[in-house]
Amino acid sequence: MIKKDFAYAIELPYWQAPNDDIVIKSQNDSLSAFFKIWVSPAKYSVYTGIFKFSYVWAMRFERNKNLYYYINCEEDNYRACYWIIPDSSWLEKLKKERYSFFPDWEKYDLGEYFHYIIQSNKFYIEIIAKDLKISKKKLHKIF
Protein backbone atom coordinates (compact mmCIF):
# COMPACT_ATOMS: atom_id res chain seq x y z
CA MET A 1 0.00 0.00 0.00
CA ILE A 2 1.32 3.44 -0.94
CA LYS A 3 1.52 5.88 1.95
CA LYS A 4 -0.34 9.17 1.38
CA ASP A 5 2.03 12.02 0.41
CA PHE A 6 5.17 9.91 0.68
CA ALA A 7 7.81 10.99 -1.83
CA TYR A 8 10.13 8.54 -3.52
CA ALA A 9 13.61 9.72 -4.48
CA ILE A 10 14.74 9.16 -8.05
CA GLU A 11 18.42 9.63 -8.80
CA LEU A 12 19.30 12.32 -11.31
CA PRO A 13 21.57 11.29 -14.20
CA TYR A 14 23.71 14.40 -13.48
CA TRP A 15 25.14 15.79 -10.25
CA GLN A 16 23.05 18.87 -9.54
CA ALA A 17 25.21 21.46 -7.75
CA PRO A 18 23.70 21.33 -4.23
CA ASN A 19 24.25 24.95 -3.14
CA ASP A 20 23.18 26.72 -6.29
CA ASP A 21 19.86 28.17 -7.31
CA ILE A 22 17.95 26.98 -10.33
CA VAL A 23 16.47 29.18 -13.03
CA ILE A 24 12.82 28.63 -13.93
CA LYS A 25 11.33 29.47 -17.32
CA SER A 26 7.64 29.03 -18.02
CA GLN A 27 5.87 29.18 -21.37
CA ASN A 28 2.27 28.11 -22.01
CA ASP A 29 1.86 24.80 -20.15
CA SER A 30 5.59 23.95 -20.14
CA LEU A 31 8.08 24.68 -17.42
CA SER A 32 11.85 24.34 -17.60
CA ALA A 33 14.20 24.45 -14.62
CA PHE A 34 17.91 24.88 -15.33
CA PHE A 35 20.56 23.76 -12.86
CA LYS A 36 24.34 23.80 -12.62
CA ILE A 37 26.11 20.43 -12.84
CA TRP A 38 29.16 19.34 -10.89
CA VAL A 39 31.67 16.86 -12.33
CA SER A 40 33.35 16.59 -8.90
CA PRO A 41 32.79 18.47 -5.63
CA ALA A 42 32.67 22.22 -6.39
CA LYS A 43 33.96 21.69 -9.96
CA TYR A 44 31.38 22.79 -12.49
CA SER A 45 30.63 21.11 -15.79
CA VAL A 46 30.37 23.09 -19.03
CA TYR A 47 26.85 21.65 -19.30
CA THR A 48 23.63 22.89 -17.75
CA GLY A 49 21.07 20.40 -16.50
CA ILE A 50 17.46 20.85 -17.59
CA PHE A 51 14.21 19.62 -16.04
CA LYS A 52 11.56 19.98 -18.77
CA PHE A 53 7.98 19.57 -17.52
CA SER A 54 5.13 19.27 -20.03
CA TYR A 55 1.40 19.76 -19.52
CA VAL A 56 1.93 21.63 -16.24
CA TRP A 57 -1.21 22.04 -14.16
CA ALA A 58 0.22 23.74 -11.07
CA MET A 59 3.45 24.79 -9.42
CA ARG A 60 4.37 26.03 -5.96
CA PHE A 61 7.58 26.71 -4.14
CA GLU A 62 8.51 27.42 -0.57
CA ARG A 63 11.67 28.64 1.06
CA ASN A 64 13.37 26.86 3.93
CA LYS A 65 10.71 24.18 4.15
CA ASN A 66 11.51 20.81 5.58
CA LEU A 67 10.67 18.21 2.98
CA TYR A 68 8.20 16.42 5.21
CA TYR A 69 7.14 14.15 2.36
CA TYR A 70 10.43 12.33 2.23
CA ILE A 71 12.38 10.56 4.92
CA ASN A 72 16.00 10.01 3.93
CA CYS A 73 16.82 6.34 3.64
CA GLU A 74 20.30 4.97 4.15
CA GLU A 75 20.08 3.10 0.85
CA ASP A 76 19.32 6.34 -1.02
CA ASN A 77 22.94 7.28 -1.43
CA TYR A 78 22.27 9.63 -4.34
CA ARG A 79 24.48 12.61 -5.16
CA ALA A 80 21.41 14.34 -6.59
CA CYS A 81 17.76 13.40 -6.95
CA TYR A 82 14.23 14.60 -7.48
CA TRP A 83 11.09 13.18 -5.89
CA ILE A 84 7.73 11.89 -7.05
CA ILE A 85 4.64 11.50 -4.88
CA PRO A 86 2.40 8.71 -6.23
CA ASP A 87 -0.48 9.39 -3.79
CA SER A 88 -0.56 13.17 -3.56
CA SER A 89 -3.18 14.99 -1.48
CA TRP A 90 -2.36 18.20 -3.39
CA LEU A 91 -3.16 16.55 -6.74
CA GLU A 92 -6.31 15.03 -5.23
CA LYS A 93 -7.41 18.49 -4.05
CA LEU A 94 -6.78 19.99 -7.50
CA LYS A 95 -8.84 17.26 -9.17
CA LYS A 96 -11.79 17.77 -6.77
CA GLU A 97 -11.69 21.50 -7.39
CA ARG A 98 -11.65 20.97 -11.14
CA TYR A 99 -14.54 18.48 -11.00
CA SER A 100 -16.63 21.09 -9.19
CA PHE A 101 -16.29 23.46 -12.18
CA PHE A 102 -16.02 20.99 -15.04
CA PRO A 103 -17.35 17.48 -14.19
CA ASP A 104 -16.30 15.93 -17.53
CA TRP A 105 -12.77 17.34 -17.65
CA GLU A 106 -11.05 13.93 -17.71
CA LYS A 107 -12.78 13.12 -21.02
CA TYR A 108 -10.90 16.01 -22.63
CA ASP A 109 -7.68 16.18 -20.63
CA LEU A 110 -6.28 12.74 -21.33
CA GLY A 111 -3.22 11.35 -19.58
CA GLU A 112 -2.06 11.06 -16.02
CA TYR A 113 -0.70 13.87 -13.85
CA PHE A 114 2.16 13.39 -11.39
CA HIS A 115 3.38 15.34 -8.36
CA TYR A 116 7.11 16.09 -8.72
CA ILE A 117 9.50 17.86 -6.37
CA ILE A 118 12.79 19.42 -7.43
CA GLN A 119 15.19 21.37 -5.28
CA SER A 120 16.93 24.70 -5.54
CA ASN A 121 19.41 26.03 -2.99
CA LYS A 122 16.85 26.97 -0.33
CA PHE A 123 13.60 26.16 -2.13
CA TYR A 124 11.55 23.10 -2.89
CA ILE A 125 9.64 23.46 -6.15
CA GLU A 126 6.57 21.25 -6.46
CA ILE A 127 5.05 20.69 -9.87
CA ILE A 128 1.94 18.88 -11.03
CA ALA A 129 2.57 17.83 -14.64
CA LYS A 130 2.06 14.95 -17.04
CA ASP A 131 5.63 14.54 -18.20
CA LEU A 132 9.23 15.19 -17.17
CA LYS A 133 12.33 14.96 -19.35
CA ILE A 134 15.81 15.49 -17.93
CA SER A 135 18.71 16.49 -20.16
CA LYS A 136 21.88 18.54 -20.31
CA LYS A 137 23.05 21.11 -22.81
CA LYS A 138 25.80 23.69 -23.28
CA LEU A 139 24.04 26.97 -22.58
CA HIS A 140 25.39 30.46 -22.06
CA LYS A 141 24.08 33.28 -19.85
CA ILE A 142 21.50 31.23 -17.95
CA PHE A 143 23.00 31.94 -14.51
Side-chain angles (χ1 to χ4, degrees):
M1 185 165 117
I2 297 173
K3 185 178 170 188
K4 183 67 121 185
D5 287 327
F6 184 80
Y8 293 91
I10 300 171
E11 187 171 19
L12 281 171
Y14 318 111
W15 191 354
Q16 181 180 358
N19 297 322
D20 286 284
D21 290 319
I22 62 173
V23 173
I24 297 173
K25 179 184 173 191
S26 175
Q27 186 174 7
N28 295 322
D29 66 351
S30 295
L31 184 140
S32 297
F34 302 89
F35 60 92
K36 293 181 182 179
I37 296 174
W38 277 1
V39 291
S40 62
K43 184 172 183 202
Y44 291 94
S45 170
V46 297
Y47 293 96
T48 299
I50 306 165
F51 292 103
K52 174 78 173 177
F53 296 92
S54 301
Y55 306 101
V56 174
W57 183 344
M59 181 196 88
R60 63 185 182 191
F61 64 95
E62 293 186 55
R63 187 173 188 184
N64 299 318
K65 178 181 179 180
N66 286 333
L67 188 58
Y68 64 90
Y69 298 116
Y70 177 70
I71 300 164
N72 284 320
C73 298
E74 299 266 336
E75 62 270 11
D76 291 350
N77 200 13
Y78 304 145
R79 292 189 297 188
C81 67
Y82 66 98
W83 297 269
I84 191 163
I85 302 173
D87 191 15
S88 166
S89 59
W90 182 35
L91 178 54
E92 189 176 292
K93 179 182 172 193
L94 289 171
K95 285 180 178 181
K96 284 180 184 176
E97 182 180 275
R98 199 166 180 190
Y99 278 122
S100 71
F101 294 106
F102 187 37
D104 293 338
W105 71 270
E106 284 188 308
K107 290 180 183 176
Y108 307 100
D109 189 355
L110 303 176
E112 186 176 357
Y113 285 96
F114 300 95
H115 183 168
Y116 299 97
I117 302 171
I118 59 175
Q119 188 173 357
S120 190
N121 180 19
K122 293 182 177 114
F123 288 86
Y124 288 106
I125 297 98
E126 299 183 59
I127 299 145
I128 302 291
K130 288 185 183 179
D131 192 37
L132 168 61
K133 302 265 189 270
I134 301 167
S135 63
K136 68 179 181 178
K137 194 173 192 179
K138 283 187 181 180
L139 299 173
H140 302 286
K141 298 182 182 182
I142 291 289
F143 299 98

